[in-house]
């Protein structure tokens, strides 16, 4: 919380200017607060944003149909992705094995040339 004087110093204006600005947001009348439209929007954005992480977004009919189509395809695509990952791992191991075989062949050829010379 800031005092009126602190806010005025931060903004580089007079205390009176800050006071007038605050009065544009709310006022006291007969012991009750009256809140301006600007203040209501500030309160809504602060309160509603912090209280809810839910985002509501409307779909057009076409967007909803596309979403529904993709949603129904998800299990198949997930299964296909898992299948591809298994095959990728298999080919990775296969290539590693072939690299090792090539290294052994090159070593054998090098040793044979060394023995012949």
């Amino acid at each position: 919380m800031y005092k009126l004087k602190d806010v005025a110093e931060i903004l580089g204006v007079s205390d009176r200017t800050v006071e007038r600005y605050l009065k544009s947001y709310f006022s006291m009348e007969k012991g009750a607060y009256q809140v301006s439209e600007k203040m209501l929007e500030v309160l809504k954005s602060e309160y509603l944003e912090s209280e809810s992480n839910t985002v509501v977004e409307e779909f057009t009919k076409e967007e909803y149909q596309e979403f529904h189509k993709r949603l129904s395809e998800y299990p198949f695509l997930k299964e296909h992705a898992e299948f591809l990952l298994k095959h990728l791992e298999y080919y990775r191991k296969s290539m590693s094995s072939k690299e090792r075989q090539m290294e052994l062949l090159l070593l054998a050829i090098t040793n044979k040339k060394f023995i012949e010379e």
Side-chain angles (χ1 to χ4, degrees):
M1 300 298 279
Y2 294 91
K3 293 182 180 176
L4 197 65
K5 187 175 182 175
D6 298 332
V7 174
E9 285 178 18
I10 291 169
L11 297 177
V13 296
S14 70
D15 297 3
R16 185 76 182 123
T17 302
V18 173
E19 194 174 330
R20 276 193 306 271
Y21 186 70
L22 290 174
K23 284 182 181 180
S24 74
Y25 277 100
F26 63 90
S27 63
M28 290 284 287
E29 217 167 285
K30 297 180 183 176
Y33 285 105
Q34 288 193 347
V35 179
S36 69
E37 188 72 29
K38 288 193 294 186
M39 188 62 190
L40 180 59
E41 291 304 316
V42 169
L43 290 171
K44 277 188 199 176
S45 68
E46 286 287 319
Y47 180 75
L48 297 176
E49 185 178 297
S50 66
E51 288 295 314
S52 174
N53 292 330
T54 304
V55 175
V56 177
E57 188 175 325
E58 292 184 24
F59 285 115
T60 64
K61 231 177 199 180
E62 294 81 22
E63 289 173 332
Y64 179 76
Q65 288 171 346
E66 186 67 24
F67 173 73
H68 189 269
K69 180 180 167 185
R70 298 291 175 231
L71 195 59
S72 62
E73 291 174 348
Y74 175 75
F76 169 75
L77 292 174
K78 183 178 177 187
E79 184 179 306
H80 188 65
E82 289 170 355
F83 172 79
L84 291 174
L85 285 172
K86 286 178 185 175
H87 273 71
L88 182 64
E89 187 60 31
Y90 167 78
Y91 288 121
R92 189 176 288 138
K93 288 179 181 177
S94 175
M95 288 301 295
S96 177
S97 173
K98 287 181 182 175
E99 284 178 17
R100 180 70 183 135
Q101 289 174 1
M102 291 298 285
E103 288 173 2
L104 291 173
L105 282 171
L106 287 172
L107 184 61
I109 291 170
T110 305
N111 286 341
K112 184 177 178 187
K113 281 186 180 181
F114 180 73
I115 291 173
E116 288 177 359
E117 293 178 1

